[in-house]
Amino acid sequence: MTTPSCPPDDNPLLDLSGLPRFDAITPEAVGPAIERLLTEAGEALEAVCAEDFPAQWEAMASRLDVATERLGRAWGAVSHLNSVADTPQLRAAYNAALPRVTEFWTRLGADERLYAKYKAMDVERLKPEQRRAHHNAMRGFILGGAELRGDAKERFAAIQERQAELAQKFSENSLDATDAFGWYVAREDLEGLPEDVLQATAAAARADGREGHKLTLKMPCYLPVMQFARNPAVRERMYRAYVTRASDQAEADAVRFDNAAIMTELLALRHEEARLLGHRHFADVSLVPKMADSPEQVTAFLRDLAAKARPHAERDLADMRAFAAAELGIGDPQPWDWPYIGEKLKEVRYAFSEQEVKPYFTAPKVLAGLFHIVETLFEVAIRPDQAPVWHPGVEFYRIERSGPSGPELVGQFYLDPGARKGKRGGAWMDDVRGRWLRPDDGRLQTPVAHMVCNFAEGLEVDGVRRPALLTHDDVITLFHEFGHGLHHMLTQVDERDVAGISGVEWDAVELPSQFMENFCWEWDVLRHMTAHVDTGEPLPRELFDKMVAARNFQSGLQTLRQVEFALFDMLLHSQQEPVGDEAALLDLLRRVREEVAVVMPPAYNRTPHTFSHIFAGGYSAGYYSYKWAEVLSADAYSAFEEAAERTGRGPLDVETGRRYRESILEAGGSRPAMESFKAFRGREPSIEPLLRHQGMA
């Protein structure tokens, strides 16, 4: 078997294959290991900046990129552990090293000597993907402050370091505020909850040595409580605790996690950064490397989408109000009532409930079904593999394709599906390392990815270990993150800065992830990934038909909610002067809601205080990307619908999958995203497939 790998690495954070030593990384090892790598990277920077060092791509990459890539891989491992296995000791080690790491990357990106070397390169002699990487690097130098001088340069560097500290603290506060909440209630207070949720909450209470059931703000607990708990007092307390996390409105001593001051300082620093770079505001800076041309274009897109969705959202709301009054005796629905009303209405209207479907989606069966789709569509094989992991529930896999002399390694990935204490919420894909034809020894480094979710764990019931059960929304989330992973792992680009997701415009990077979600609604696909947890029977067609009928249930409301977040984010970062305090920030959000929302939350709602996407996750002035990329992904998937209609063989059309893989996944960031899209579809994207998929055509 051909298994290319990167050269051995003697750093204590990485094993000999270049993978992280997740089972052996200790807080004590972090500081010295990172410091050594910083020293090596700094020496490499000085070497390539010397006057006699040639301004040639291969020579500079062999010296500098090799050193910085090793630093990036090691620091990525520490950052990942900080997100999925947080402890006080690791957090302290991470925060101690963060300023030095931030300082180095800021210095690297703003080094005028290095910038001059890139300027002096003969671009015409570079390979096409190197030219694209060079173009991105030149843009990055400008955005990184390389053209600043004197006090402005020093201030820019200080801003970057402070922003990194604040973003990390925002993330810590959000996690700690979520973990701090634990409410022990009696069984009779939880009437209506699904049995598997009752079992999980009872197990959580027992683990704490308590009676009854422990409710938390982790999504596998919080969401079912809001959807199914008949007791409105329980829903109210859970709702209030959730929407006031990390704010001054939080319960008891959780007020200490308030993120208000962090948000306003971050916004001020971003605005100052933009002005130093010669831009009006941070939104202009954010859009420089994106597909969208201007904040005005983005806000026009969002407002147009809101106008199309609003009639559907108003109808959704009217339906719920009428149903709540007539069937549930709720004449004046409160914010904590809407998820409950919506679930009950869906059950009545479609004779379908998420909980009715859930027993059919066992985690092992869903994963096997996902792998089958990927293997069929993209002509690869997924196999179990071995590597150090950070938790017993984490699995490691390899992706192979057939080569002239047998299976060839394409990429590998870690899968961490379960929610637990010390792991930040949500779901995400991240890179461990990128594909790279290494310039130091000519060996191919294959890509490795993280796939992280927060699903309910499997439970032991009456001495029998039952697999984790997923909601259909969980299944969609898994497919979404795996789409990101495929983008990263199936690339055939050998220049790491534009391989896979690297170098892809931020507002196009969600295309492959949202594209994969569509397969979760195909009968020919879905039936093969279901097996009832007790009987082993596949999902009945009748139940699937009800799911499809309910697919666009409240799509208008859901679209407006995403537009609300995206418009708030863009307007927040395109103010002529940054918002000065929490009151001004909340007032802007209120005005956005008055413009696009049809349901207004209570005054104590503090959703921005845990809006990690824009304050700690890289989506600042970029949250619109989800809706922007939905246009691309829906149109891309329509090619598979057209193939199914043409051939009658269903959506897993290998020929179309091959074109998609070659045009979009394999190309990565080696060319503009619009070029990749047009290479696949033969034209620019249309919004019509999105409106049709969401029932708003």
Side-chain angles (χ1 to χ4, degrees):
M1 177 181 296
T2 304
T3 308
S5 63
C6 61
D9 196 322
D10 61 352
N11 190 278
L13 303 183
L14 303 167
D15 68 20
L16 293 180
S17 70
L19 294 174
R21 293 175 173 169
F22 283 125
D23 60 343
I25 295 176
T26 62
E28 296 75 22
V30 170
I34 294 298
E35 194 61 41
R36 194 183 90 193
L37 290 171
L38 283 168
T39 299
E40 293 173 359
E43 291 171 350
L45 175 61
E46 292 305 312
V48 302
C49 288
E51 287 188 12
D52 59 348
F53 198 95
Q56 296 173 355
W57 187 270
E58 289 80 4
M60 294 178 64
S62 297
R63 187 72 175 91
L64 179 60
D65 289 5
V66 168
T68 56
E69 195 268 347
R70 290 179 72 226
L71 170 63
R73 261 188 295 133
W75 182 244
V78 176
S79 301
H80 178 73
L81 282 183
N82 192 52
S83 294
V84 298
D86 183 41
T87 65
Q89 296 79 12
L90 180 62
R91 182 181 291 188
Y94 177 88
N95 284 326
L98 179 62
R100 286 277 290 120
V101 173
T102 305
E103 184 275 332
F104 171 78
W105 290 117
T106 302
R107 178 161 51 92
L108 180 76
D111 194 305
E112 58 264 30
R113 301 169 303 164
L114 186 61
Y115 183 32
K117 291 281 185 179
Y118 273 82
K119 279 183 175 179
M121 283 184 187
D122 185 353
V123 179
E124 295 305 315
R125 298 187 61 182
L126 299 180
K127 300 173 185 176
E129 55 194 47
Q130 291 174 338
R131 283 201 295 271
R132 180 68 177 171
H134 181 272
H135 166 81
N136 293 350
M138 293 295 287
R139 183 181 63 199
F141 277 118
I142 296 171
L143 293 178
E147 296 187 337
L148 299 177
R149 297 291 182 272
D151 292 344
K153 196 179 195 72
E154 288 186 16
R155 178 57 186 159
F156 186 89
I159 287 173
Q160 302 312 305
E161 183 173 330
R162 181 58 178 161
Q163 284 191 71
E165 293 172 357
L166 290 170
Q168 170 61 12
K169 187 60 178 175
F170 184 96
S171 185
E172 289 176 0
N173 283 347
S174 299
L175 174 62
D176 291 345
T178 302
D179 283 348
F181 180 87
W183 182 23
Y184 301 92
V185 300
R187 173 67 179 78
E188 54 266 27
D189 291 324
L190 300 179
E191 291 298 324
L193 255 65
E195 186 60 32
D196 65 305
V197 179
L198 291 171
Q199 291 171 353
T201 53
R206 286 195 301 272
D208 290 352
R210 300 286 295 268
E211 298 291 326
H213 298 256
K214 181 182 181 180
L215 303 185
T216 73
L217 300 181
K218 295 287 187 181
M219 200 51 61
C221 176
Y222 173 76
L223 188 57
V225 170
M226 300 307 296
Q227 290 175 314
F228 299 103
R230 294 176 191 150
N231 188 334
V234 170
R235 299 198 305 270
E236 179 180 5
R237 184 177 176 195
M238 291 291 286
Y239 171 84
R240 180 157 192 150
Y242 190 81
V243 302
T244 59
R245 288 173 300 153
S247 79
D248 63 343
Q249 301 294 308
E251 294 189 358
D253 63 342
V255 171
R256 69 184 187 276
F257 302 122
D258 187 5
N259 270 330
I262 292 175
M263 293 188 294
T264 52
E265 186 177 353
L266 269 172
L267 292 167
L269 290 172
R270 289 170 181 171
H271 190 79
E272 185 180 357
E273 172 189 335
R275 289 296 178 87
L276 284 171
L277 294 175
H279 291 277
R280 296 176 299 171
H281 40 58
F282 187 77
D284 281 347
V285 176
S286 175
L287 291 183
V288 169
K290 294 182 171 70
M291 290 178 71
D293 295 326
S294 68
E296 292 76 15
Q297 182 190 20
V298 172
T299 55
F301 163 73
L302 292 171
R303 284 172 166 140
D304 179 60
L305 189 57
K308 288 180 169 66
R310 190 175 188 88
H312 301 273
E314 290 173 341
R315 185 184 63 209
D316 293 341
L317 186 63
D319 286 350
M320 283 203 293
R321 285 192 185 279
F323 176 79
E327 304 297 332
L328 302 177
I330 303 176
D332 182 22
Q334 297 301 306
W336 49 89
D337 294 324
W338 293 119
Y340 179 75
I341 296 168
E343 188 62 31
K344 292 300 180 185
L345 176 57
K346 185 165 67 173
E347 290 177 15
V348 170
R349 179 173 292 177
Y350 303 104
F352 154 71
S353 164
E354 278 281 1
Q355 296 306 310
E356 187 181 0
V357 173
K358 193 173 179 181
Y360 291 96
F361 289 117
T362 61
K365 189 70 174 177
V366 169
L367 197 61
L370 169 60
F371 289 176
H372 171 72
I373 295 168
V374 172
E375 290 175 328
T376 302
L377 211 55
F378 303 129
E379 301 172 295
V380 296
I382 302 176
R383 303 283 184 261
D385 206 346
Q386 291 188 330
V389 296
W390 55 92
H391 186 272
V394 177
E395 298 173 327
F396 189 63
Y397 294 90
R398 62 193 289 115
I399 300 180
E400 301 168 346
R401 68 161 45 112
S402 296
S405 57
E408 295 180 349
L409 180 64
V410 176
Q412 295 158 294
F413 63 94
Y414 299 87
L415 178 65
D416 183 358
R420 57 181 178 270
K421 187 176 178 63
K423 180 180 179 182
R424 70 177 172 91
W428 66 93
M429 172 267 163
D430 203 356
D431 65 311
V432 179
R433 71 181 189 211
R435 180 182 167 100
W436 194 20
L437 189 60
R438 296 181 64 92
D440 51 346
D441 61 7
R443 292 167 65 93
L444 178 66
Q445 174 175 290
T446 51
V448 183
H450 289 302
M451 246 77 79
V452 185
C453 299
N454 268 275
F455 303 146
E457 298 274 25
L459 293 173
E460 188 170 303
V461 180
D462 298 329
V464 178
R465 186 72 184 178
R466 291 165 64 88
L469 301 181
L470 309 184
T471 66
H472 189 241
D473 282 345
D474 290 338
V475 176
I476 292 172
T477 296
L478 177 62
F479 273 59
H480 178 103
E481 300 308 332
F482 211 83
H484 281 308
L486 292 171
H487 201 186
H488 178 63
M489 293 183 288
L490 297 190
T491 184
Q492 291 297 291
V493 177
D494 293 335
E495 188 60 51
R496 71 182 180 100
D497 288 338
V498 290
I501 58 173
S502 297
V504 177
E505 294 98 316
W506 200 252
D507 43 7
V509 80
E510 296 294 334
L511 189 168
S513 54
Q514 294 172 339
F515 164 83
M516 285 297 295
E517 295 180 21
N518 290 282
F519 292 105
C520 300
W521 296 101
E522 297 286 355
W523 170 246
D524 289 337
V525 171
L526 207 65
R527 60 181 173 149
H528 296 299
M529 66 171 72
T530 61
H532 195 282
V533 66
D534 295 321
T535 67
E537 292 294 316
L539 182 75
R541 179 60 192 254
E542 179 186 8
L543 187 51
F544 170 78
D545 289 341
K546 294 175 182 177
M547 291 170 57
V548 172
R551 176 180 182 178
N552 292 319
F553 179 64
Q554 298 183 349
S555 63
L557 284 171
Q558 292 164 6
T559 297
L560 286 191
R561 180 168 171 79
Q562 286 298 97
V563 169
E564 175 189 313
F565 288 150
L567 189 58
F568 168 67
D569 166 46
M570 186 54 67
L571 294 178
L572 187 66
H573 288 96
S574 57
Q575 303 290 301
Q576 291 306 310
E577 295 298 331
V579 297
D581 53 30
E582 180 187 33
L585 183 148
L586 293 175
D587 183 63
L588 175 62
L589 179 57
R590 176 189 58 77
R591 286 184 275 123
V592 169
R593 284 171 170 161
E594 288 177 349
E595 177 182 351
V596 302
V598 294
V599 179
M600 295 293 288
Y604 61 72
N605 182 290
R606 294 292 185 272
T607 302
H609 293 61
T610 50
F611 198 176
S612 295
H613 277 79
I614 70 169
F615 290 112
Y619 276 86
S620 46
Y623 195 79
Y624 77 92
S625 300
Y626 285 101
K627 301 310 294 184
W628 186 278
E630 268 190 72
V631 174
L632 304 176
S633 62
D635 198 353
Y637 189 73
S638 67
F640 290 80
E641 294 174 319
E642 292 162 9
E645 186 175 343
R646 186 173 61 250
T647 65
R649 293 196 298 265
L652 299 187
D653 185 75
V654 176
E655 181 182 343
T656 309
R658 187 180 302 128
R659 287 195 298 108
Y660 174 80
R661 186 190 76 218
E662 293 172 351
S663 300
I664 293 176
L665 299 181
E666 291 184 356
S670 64
R671 61 187 178 189
M674 185 59 77
E675 286 186 21
S676 292
F677 183 89
K678 289 195 289 188
F680 175 57
R681 288 300 270 143
R683 56 167 173 75
E684 292 195 353
S686 165
I687 197 175
E688 292 309 313
L690 174 63
L691 297 176
R692 174 169 53 81
H693 286 176
Q694 297 188 345
M696 296 190 294

